[in-house]
Amino acid sequence: MIRFSPTETITNTFRTNELDPINHRKDHDGRFYSISQSVKKQLFSGGGLPKEYKELSETLNGLSIMVRKPAIELITYLNKTNFDAPVNRYVLYGKTGSGKSVSLAHILHYGSNAGMVLVHVPWVPNWVRFPKGCTPSVIHPNKYDHPIESVEWLRHFSTQNGPLMQKLELKTTETYAWSKREMTAVGSPLSELIDLGMNRAKHATDCVSALLCELKKAALSKRCRVLVVIDGFNSFFSPKSRVRREDKSIVLPTEFVLTDAFLSLTRNDWNNGAIVVSVDASAHPSELRESPLPRYQLGKQGFEHLDPFIPIEVPNYSEKEFHSQIDYYVERNWLQQPKARTERGRAELSFTSGNHPLSLMKLVAPY
Amino acid sequence: MSLFGVLRKLPSFNAIHCHINFLGRIARQQPYSMYQPFVKEPTYSIEKLDQLIESGEAKKREFVPVKAARSDHNVSVFHDELTSKFINMVMEKGHKEVATKLVETAYMKIKQMQLAKYYKATTDAERAEIELNPIVIFHKALENCKPVLQLTPIKRGGATYQVPIPITENRARFLAMKWMILESREKERTVHFPERLAYELLEAFNNTGKVVKRKQDLHKQCETNRAYAHYRWG
């Protein structure tokens, strides 16, 4: 088939026609399920899929994500969560390129289908390592704003949660005074807050903080359920950033207003939600990449902030998943070499890639 | 004398200094080679080795000395000799990794471009016509770029004439690869070598493009100079 149609009967063993992540269970392990173009545009247009993965999905004429054990584990937990208890925090960890971001994308789709408000940060190091212009904050002394990134993030938030926010009609619980004449009164819709942030870059960062605060309160008063998904969370505790003061001293990520906002949201002092976070060695500078484990990557500060959390490892492919991935590449005409499609070819690919997802993708790419 | 000494020799300048008849050039056996002439090239493909064992050839080769294995010789399912040769020609200053990456990126881009056409096509017949394997495309493209004759400058009575002469297989392959690489290096600032190479290979595969044109120009020149062909023999 050329473009995989979800209603077609499945004859191959590496696909599943269970398109709703809420229903993904252990028997779906190692199978691909496809995500429609509209859902992809809604959820991932502001980021969330790794760049090469996204390009590959466009080449192969459709986004299909493999259902793997970490995501299935998370989905089981999220389905069984007692939302009256304080929020649970889940930390995905694993080697770089083992599939954490894609698992988070899967969970994002789950949250969207489950009617949860999505608070999604696609890749935190973008704010720390490549900020497009940090300005000192007016409201918070000694802190720094991200005007451009905040506007982008608000746009991303409104794209992801557009229809849901219209349905929920959440209102602000506080007055926000932006300047002498501008203010957002109590009881005004949250969409007004978001629009203000998108139009006024100067106040965008503070809008983000306000929005996150409001969502937390809304979740506490059972007006909505919030799913927080953050990729590269350990970057908030990075020892370096590319932002410098006038005296050339480095501004640490803990001195960003955005960091405070998201750290406040990832504290377990609220309920009716869930927090799924990933830690990756590539989110830290090269001196801090020795171990992929959460305690090392988060550091003392990060660990104390997130403790207690549920760590979920994202391992390399199992044998079943590996063969499923090769089947997918063969079926989509990506793995072209006839010799590589044989058993010997698969054995070679398994050995040279070490069943590591990113390495496999890179090995198969030219052939 | 050690085996190493038997197989290899100090560079002797006999072959270079001997008088070589320029016109009656015979294929030299690598005068710069560190190996003695009787040392054979290694066979490293598993299929070929199995064939040799089956046919009984392997028994005859048991005691024939063989050259050392090169670093690009491997039994990988992705190994292609022509691609190896091409990567060596793309390589500059010994940066093999860079050259490999460039050529492999070009292969990936070829696949991307062909797959875009494939998924756009509406009928099965159209899809069957589209070639997706980058190595097949590379082989065919090189075939289409190989010249059949070459020009050599020959002096007669004070004037130098460009005389068409036959071309060896190796020389034809070399020229095809060289032209392909030179064409791919000419670029705009934003279009890099792999992308350019991918475009050139696809065009050559369809018998169009600048490299095929260069071959055809060479053939035309040979045709116009066919009057001088007898100068080859004096």
Side-chain angles (χ1 to χ4, degrees):
Chain A
M1 69 215 99
I2 301 308
R3 180 168 214 97
F4 182 67
S5 162
T7 50
E8 235 173 275
T9 33
I10 310 277
T11 46
N12 24 43
T13 51
F14 61 93
R15 281 196 198 270
T16 172
N17 53 2
E18 184 51 73
L19 299 182
D20 195 347
I22 300 179
N23 301 328
H24 283 155
R25 299 282 176 271
K26 248 167 61 175
D27 17 332
H28 296 114
D29 177 35
R31 291 174 171 228
F32 284 84
Y33 85 102
S34 47
I35 295 182
S36 67
Q37 283 286 82
S38 55
V39 171
K40 177 183 172 182
K41 208 168 162 196
Q42 183 197 350
L43 294 180
F44 305 120
S45 50
L49 293 171
K51 183 172 158 225
E52 279 179 6
Y53 190 91
K54 192 173 180 189
E55 280 170 11
L56 188 60
S57 76
E58 277 153 24
T59 310
L60 301 186
N61 211 27
L63 176 64
S64 292
I65 292 185
M66 192 198 280
V67 181
R68 291 181 71 198
K69 285 209 179 71
I72 296 172
E73 197 180 328
L74 263 172
I75 289 171
T76 328
Y77 295 158
L78 290 171
N79 278 337
K80 288 186 190 168
T81 311
N82 173 15
F83 287 106
D84 293 326
V87 284
N88 279 332
R89 289 163 309 180
Y90 307 94
V91 173
L92 288 175
Y93 69 98
K95 282 186 261 186
T96 308
S98 58
K100 297 184 289 296
S101 295
V102 179
S103 297
L104 284 182
H106 191 170
I107 298 303
L108 210 63
H109 189 198
Y110 166 89
S112 171
N113 277 18
M116 300 168 101
V117 176
L118 302 171
V119 175
H120 177 225
V121 183
W123 186 237
V124 175
N126 284 340
W127 295 347
V128 175
R129 288 203 286 229
F130 312 109
K132 289 185 193 123
C134 269
T135 52
S137 170
V138 175
I139 301 179
H140 309 274
N142 302 326
K143 298 275 180 174
Y144 284 77
D145 271 354
H146 284 80
I148 304 175
E149 277 85 4
S150 302
V151 170
E152 274 174 17
W153 188 82
L154 284 168
R155 198 167 289 143
H156 177 54
F157 178 88
S158 54
T159 318
Q160 281 186 326
N161 296 294
L164 185 61
M165 291 300 274
Q166 273 185 349
K167 207 173 75 171
L168 288 173
E169 289 179 14
L170 299 166
K171 308 260 189 278
T172 55
T173 53
E174 268 183 49
T175 336
Y176 296 102
W178 305 112
S179 65
K180 271 194 214 148
R181 271 155 274 173
E182 282 180 332
M183 59 172 252
T184 313
V186 186
S188 45
L190 276 189
S191 51
E192 211 180 277
L193 192 64
I194 299 171
D195 285 332
L196 187 115
M198 286 208 275
N199 294 326
R200 300 292 308 279
K202 194 168 150 206
H203 302 305
T205 319
D206 297 312
C207 275
V208 173
S209 308
L211 175 68
L212 297 184
C213 215
E214 291 296 334
L215 284 173
K216 203 166 164 180
K217 288 184 194 162
L220 274 165
S221 47
K222 294 207 197 302
R223 280 177 287 149
C224 69
R225 194 163 283 174
V226 178
L227 177 67
V228 182
V229 175
I230 301 180
D231 202 354
F233 187 78
N234 50 330
S235 196
F236 282 136
F237 306 101
S238 174
K240 276 193 210 171
S241 85
R242 290 259 170 87
V243 185
R244 284 179 189 271
R245 295 190 192 85
E246 276 119 28
D247 58 357
K248 309 280 182 175
S249 58
I250 296 179
V251 175
L252 292 177
T254 35
E255 292 168 291
F256 295 157
V257 175
L258 282 179
T259 310
D260 284 340
F262 283 98
L263 288 185
S264 147
L265 191 60
T266 49
R267 222 162 269 137
N268 57 353
D269 51 2
W270 52 292
N271 66 341
N272 205 15
I275 300 168
V276 184
V277 131
S278 89
V279 291
D280 187 27
S282 64
H284 266 318
S286 46
E287 306 91 64
L288 277 178
R289 291 184 184 171
E290 217 183 290
S291 162
L293 301 173
R295 172 63 184 86
Y296 179 82
Q297 287 298 326
L298 288 168
K300 181 165 181 289
Q301 218 184 348
F303 188 80
E304 281 173 2
H305 175 83
L306 273 187
D307 192 36
F309 59 83
I310 300 164
I312 299 176
E313 194 196 356
V314 181
N316 288 340
Y317 285 142
S318 65
E319 218 188 293
K320 180 179 175 199
E321 287 170 345
F322 171 80
H323 284 293
S324 181
Q325 180 67 277
I326 300 284
D327 285 337
Y328 176 72
Y329 283 148
V330 168
E331 192 259 337
R332 292 276 90 198
N333 296 306
W334 186 237
L335 182 58
Q336 277 293 313
Q337 288 310 98
K339 274 198 225 165
R341 298 174 172 194
T342 60
E343 228 180 270
R344 189 164 162 267
R346 284 176 185 237
E348 181 186 319
L349 277 170
S350 174
F351 180 74
T352 45
S353 68
N355 279 3
H356 184 229
L358 184 64
S359 304
L360 181 63
M361 186 165 89
K362 292 197 165 158
L363 279 173
V364 169
Y367 300 106
Chain B
M1 203 156 74
S2 68
L3 184 67
F4 186 74
V6 170
L7 293 181
R8 286 169 160 239
K9 53 186 166 110
L10 288 171
S12 78
F13 293 93
N14 294 338
I16 304 160
H17 281 228
C18 83
H19 177 68
I20 302 166
N21 186 352
F22 192 79
L23 289 179
R25 208 194 316 195
I26 43 171
R28 277 181 286 185
Q29 288 204 302
Q30 294 167 320
Y32 303 102
S33 172
M34 297 296 282
Y35 288 106
Q36 296 276 30
F38 55 79
V39 181
K40 303 285 180 213
E41 293 284 344
T43 316
Y44 56 91
S45 151
I46 287 188
E47 287 99 18
K48 288 206 185 106
L49 286 171
D50 285 337
Q51 270 174 8
L52 288 177
I53 294 172
E54 257 178 73
S55 66
E57 264 283 316
K59 276 256 173 237
K60 293 184 202 164
R61 296 191 186 193
E62 259 171 26
F63 299 104
V64 173
V66 156
K67 292 183 187 176
R70 289 188 165 217
S71 55
D72 17 345
H73 288 175
N74 60 60
V75 293
S76 164
V77 292
F78 299 118
H79 181 70
D80 178 40
E81 260 184 58
L82 212 57
T83 307
S84 280
K85 258 273 174 285
F86 192 68
I87 289 172
N88 282 341
M89 287 190 65
V90 169
M91 171 170 67
E92 276 177 19
K93 294 185 182 163
H95 295 307
K96 185 72 149 250
E97 279 183 21
V98 177
T100 317
K101 208 172 172 190
L102 289 173
V103 174
E104 289 189 341
T105 314
Y107 281 179
M108 187 181 77
K109 288 203 193 287
I110 290 176
K111 269 207 297 184
Q112 279 176 342
M113 291 193 267
Q114 294 294 83
L115 272 177
K117 283 185 219 159
Y118 184 88
Y119 287 126
K120 240 190 195 166
T122 39
T123 61
D124 274 332
E126 273 178 52
R127 274 180 232 128
E129 275 178 24
I130 299 171
E131 178 58 57
L132 296 167
N133 191 339
I135 296 203
V136 167
I137 290 178
F138 174 66
H139 283 227
K140 181 93 198 305
L142 272 191
E143 273 303 317
N144 289 345
C145 294
K146 281 187 191 167
V148 178
L149 292 169
Q150 60 175 338
L151 292 171
T152 182
I154 291 177
K155 260 189 160 179
R156 279 280 174 281
T160 315
Y161 300 97
Q162 291 289 337
V163 176
I165 58 162
I167 198 172
T168 57
E169 180 61 36
N170 280 350
R171 175 90 183 141
R173 186 191 63 195
F174 169 78
L175 283 176
M177 287 187 181
K178 194 77 191 172
W179 292 339
M180 186 63 74
I181 292 167
L182 287 175
E183 205 47 63
S184 309
R185 281 190 186 148
E186 281 176 45
K187 54 186 148 202
E188 302 142 25
R189 199 174 60 91
T190 45
V191 180
H192 296 286
F193 179 88
E195 221 180 305
R196 196 65 208 273
L197 178 61
Y199 283 130
E200 295 295 336
L201 282 175
L202 277 177
E203 285 188 322
F205 175 73
N206 295 320
N207 237 332
T208 56
K210 296 199 181 122
V211 191
V212 168
K213 183 165 182 302
R214 187 163 178 174
K215 171 196 86 166
Q216 287 166 349
D217 285 345
L218 177 63
H219 286 176
K220 277 188 206 134
Q221 268 288 84
C222 292
E223 181 66 32
T224 50
N225 283 11
R226 56 193 284 216
Y228 305 127
H230 65 283
Y231 282 171
R232 200 172 145 218
W233 294 282

